[in-house]
Amino acid sequence: MQIFIAGAGAGKTTAMADTIVELREKTDKNKYIFCLAFTNNAVSCIEQKLQKHYGNIPSSIIVSIIHSFLYREFIKPYYYLLFEKHYERISIATLPQISSYKNAKISRLEDSRILHQTVIPERAKWIVVKKSSDRKLEKDKRKIIKSVFKEYCGGICIDEAQDIDPNMQLIIEILNEIGIPLMLMGDPKQDLKGYKCLKNLIEKYEDSVKYIGICHRCPQRHLVLSNSIVNIQEQ
């Protein structure tokens, strides 16, 4: 796993595109490179950078929202195999703020074979990592699923990695353990949702962390001020 830390204006999108190009050059062309982001805008920006380099993005590079990736590669093909339940579609309906009401609505949707987008990371974690009710049969099937995925996955690049939640973090660590090349790009100081998962990964895999000390946006006097109050690595 490689973790790149960069602040706003450091050219993260360009660096991500360059990373994907470099990874593809040294990867078996029969394998897929997955580039994942958290918003449609980020996906569009990365696609534009890749189109500028390639003209047409190679079919072996798949750029998508991370939730789409988790559903497409794990939940859709394997959820029934492990848990004998099939989802027919995904819902993006607004959920109630009160937890009990929210959970009740999610359960009603699932009774109708509808998966709400907010629980996609958790359901994917059940497939890739574990579920508390696992029996030996599920554990054995999970090993096969990970082996199959490794056969066609040449690497995964994740943009804005500060938005990774605890379920995604566990999935990332398991994929790293089975030898999938992983490149994360983000800034823990922009963790507005407070997951702190990127920070956890930085601490756990500190030897794999690289700081990008570039800024294309801020006035010099702002940089002088900010550099006076952060550690050397972050300057």
Side-chain angles (χ1 to χ4, degrees), residues 86-98:
H86 173 68
Y87 294 109
E88 295 179 350
R89 63 187 180 90
I90 297 173
S91 171
I92 58 172
T94 302
L95 295 173
Q97 295 295 315
I98 300 175

Side-chain angles (χ1 to χ4, degrees), residues 119-167:
V119 297
I120 285 176
E122 180 187 50
R123 300 300 186 268
K125 180 197 73 175
W126 290 352
I127 294 169
V128 179
V129 185
K130 66 178 180 178
K131 188 179 181 183
S132 58
S133 60
D134 274 352
R135 300 166 297 173
K136 183 179 184 300
L137 181 61
E138 283 82 23
K139 292 178 180 178
D140 290 342
K141 288 179 179 179
R142 187 175 290 111
K143 291 178 182 177
I144 297 172
I145 290 169
K146 289 186 288 188
S147 177
V148 170
F149 181 71
K150 185 179 178 180
E151 283 296 312
Y152 69 84
C153 178
I156 300 173
C157 302
I158 303 178
D159 193 26
E160 302 295 354
Q162 69 270 5
D163 291 331
I164 291 169
D165 70 15
N167 293 310

Side-chain angles (χ1 to χ4, degrees), residues 9-70:
K12 290 193 292 294
T13 303
T14 298
M16 175 62 72
D18 291 343
T19 298
I20 297 165
V21 170
E22 182 180 344
L23 180 60
R24 183 174 182 268
E25 289 301 315
K26 57 185 180 183
T27 300
D28 183 340
K29 296 301 185 289
N30 294 317
K31 293 190 174 186
Y32 292 98
I33 305 296
F34 296 95
C35 181
L36 311 176
F38 286 85
T39 65
N40 288 323
N41 182 62
V43 167
S44 178
C45 289
I46 294 168
E47 286 178 335
Q48 289 174 20
K49 297 288 185 181
L50 292 174
Q51 285 168 350
K52 185 176 180 181
H53 179 84
Y54 289 111
N56 292 315
I57 300 175
S59 59
S60 60
I61 298 177
I62 300 176
V63 187
S64 72
I65 299 292
I66 194 166
H67 287 71
S68 298
F69 163 77
L70 294 174

Side-chain angles (χ1 to χ4, degrees), residues 64-131:
S64 72
I65 299 292
I66 194 166
H67 287 71
S68 298
F69 163 77
L70 294 174
Y71 178 76
R72 183 180 62 247
E73 303 302 325
F74 298 115
I75 297 173
K76 187 175 182 180
Y78 300 123
Y79 198 84
Y80 185 85
L81 179 65
L82 264 69
F83 308 117
E84 297 185 348
K85 186 171 185 176
H86 173 68
Y87 294 109
E88 295 179 350
R89 63 187 180 90
I90 297 173
S91 171
I92 58 172
T94 302
L95 295 173
Q97 295 295 315
I98 300 175
S99 295
S100 58
Y101 294 163
K102 180 175 75 173
N103 294 335
K105 184 166 184 176
I106 290 172
S107 295
R108 289 195 299 272
L109 288 170
E110 297 212 351
D111 289 341
S112 301
R113 295 185 177 181
I114 301 171
L115 178 66
H116 197 273
Q117 65 169 351
T118 58
V119 297
I120 285 176
E122 180 187 50
R123 300 300 186 268
K125 180 197 73 175
W126 290 352
I127 294 169
V128 179
V129 185
K130 66 178 180 178
K131 188 179 181 183

